[in-house]
Amino acid sequence: MPDCAPPLEHITPPDHALPAGACDSHFHVFGPADVFPYAENRPYTPPDAPFEALRQLHRKLGISRGVIVHPGCHGYDLSPTLDALDRGAGRYRAVALLPRDVDEPRIAELDRRGVRGVRYNFVAHLANGGWDELAAMAPRIAPFGWHLCVHSDQASLPGLLPRLKQLSIPFVIDHMGRASAAQGTHSEAFEALLGLRDHPGAWVKVSGLDRVSASGKRPFADGEALVAALLQAMPERLLWGTDWPHPNVGGDMPDDGELLNTFLRLCPDPAMRQRILVDNPHALYRFES
């Protein structure tokens, strides 16, 4: 039985049309379990959220490109993610979970099919790999132009960033590092995140507004100050994502249209929207023109 709530069936319409080529840079595809079974030792069991439901969401939001973040509930079985990439006909890219013994031919195959990075979780209930495994993977994926995708939190982020900056490949910090909105924009974790503006290989996802919120109540307004600070400090290093279908939500289930409208309100400049929604993901994930 699922131990996660399903995403909202009905969402708020977008307030504005998105620029052509707009990208959702963080979401998951779950199952369907009767086709792609969940891993036996999975950290959570979600309700199915298949590719068809994802495409329906993106049509409602006006999104034409996206990045699938392979979920821990499927372990190292990339079948649902690769199926979505194949069915997406070039509109999607992916970030994978890979075992430490993955070989170069497998990495090359995944690159051809649209994988562009490897994800590591440093959040306690999702932890996979660890720093030593991450550091060993970096030189193996570097020849393919891949990046490291890091899911951290308020506790782990400050210690991770100095080590990540020593690596020779790009890295992406998910969900604004999950810095706590309750601690504001001057916490150690968030100030370290803002410091990435001077690092050319660093990217930050403006996603997971509900995950940084202390209230857990829609529309998660207490997290908006973090978004605004990132927009002011480093728009050239930002990506935006829904985090659909929002697994392991502790409070209100996010409304993806509401999340998008919050971003559009905080980022009213068309040129900045173009950069964050289109140009930045195009550069990092290497979509076809």
Side-chain angles (χ1 to χ4, degrees):
M1 293 290 294
D3 54 26
C4 299
L8 297 180
E9 183 177 354
H10 302 290
I11 63 170
T12 303
D15 288 336
H16 304 279
L18 301 188
C23 180
D24 177 353
S25 294
H26 192 108
F27 58 86
H28 312 283
V29 172
F30 297 146
D34 60 348
V35 180
F36 304 113
Y38 299 120
E40 185 175 346
N41 61 341
R42 58 191 176 273
Y44 58 90
T45 303
D48 288 345
F51 180 73
E52 294 83 359
L54 180 277
R55 288 293 300 140
Q56 184 178 20
L57 172 77
H58 282 173
R59 284 192 290 270
K60 289 179 180 178
L61 296 179
I63 289 168
S64 55
R65 292 173 172 168
V67 182
I68 307 160
V69 177
H70 183 77
C73 61
H74 280 293
Y76 294 127
D77 179 7
L78 301 183
S79 299
T81 294
L82 294 176
D83 175 73
L85 287 175
D86 292 345
R87 295 169 66 187
R91 294 189 299 269
Y92 292 93
R93 296 290 184 257
V95 173
L97 301 179
L98 295 181
R100 65 177 67 225
D101 60 351
V102 64
D103 58 25
E104 185 173 325
R106 174 63 167 166
I107 297 173
E109 175 203 355
L110 296 175
D111 183 72
R112 288 192 297 270
R113 296 181 72 173
V115 176
R116 294 293 182 262
V118 185
R119 193 186 198 212
Y120 290 91
N121 287 289
F122 292 89
V123 178
H125 69 285
L126 296 173
N128 73 294
W131 178 260
D132 291 343
E133 187 171 326
L134 178 153
M137 185 67 72
R140 301 176 67 187
I141 64 177
F144 297 90
W146 286 16
H147 64 273
L148 295 163
C149 181
V150 177
H151 184 195
S152 63
D153 57 16
Q154 179 84 12
S156 59
L157 183 64
L160 284 168
L161 291 183
R163 292 190 285 180
L164 286 167
K165 290 192 286 187
Q166 295 301 312
L167 300 177
S168 59
I169 69 171
F171 61 90
V172 176
I173 303 297
D174 286 347
H175 306 325
M176 300 181 280
R178 291 184 70 159
S180 171
Q183 297 191 27
T185 58
H186 296 294
S187 70
E188 178 189 5
F190 195 72
E191 288 197 338
L193 192 69
L194 291 177
L196 294 178
R197 61 181 171 266
D198 300 320
H199 187 79
W203 301 83
V204 176
K205 287 180 187 170
V206 178
S207 59
L209 191 64
D210 60 301
R211 301 193 185 279
V212 304
S213 170
S215 73
K217 301 295 184 181
R218 289 174 43 200
F220 316 110
D222 58 328
E224 291 184 12
L226 304 189
V227 177
L230 287 165
L231 289 169
Q232 181 177 8
M234 49 190 298
E236 69 281 359
R237 317 304 306 168
L238 299 183
L239 308 156
W240 176 86
T242 59
D243 193 29
W244 184 90
H246 310 284
N248 300 302
V249 167
D252 288 348
M253 178 58 64
D255 175 331
D256 292 286
E258 197 173 66
L259 292 175
L260 176 59
N261 287 336
T262 295
F263 170 77
L264 295 174
R265 173 169 51 80
L266 296 174
C267 184
D269 178 53
M272 189 180 292
R273 290 180 183 175
Q274 170 75 24
R275 182 153 203 169
I276 296 170
L277 294 174
V278 182
D279 300 341
N280 289 351
H282 182 81
L284 180 64
Y285 299 107
R286 290 180 282 127
F287 288 97
E288 297 176 4
S289 298

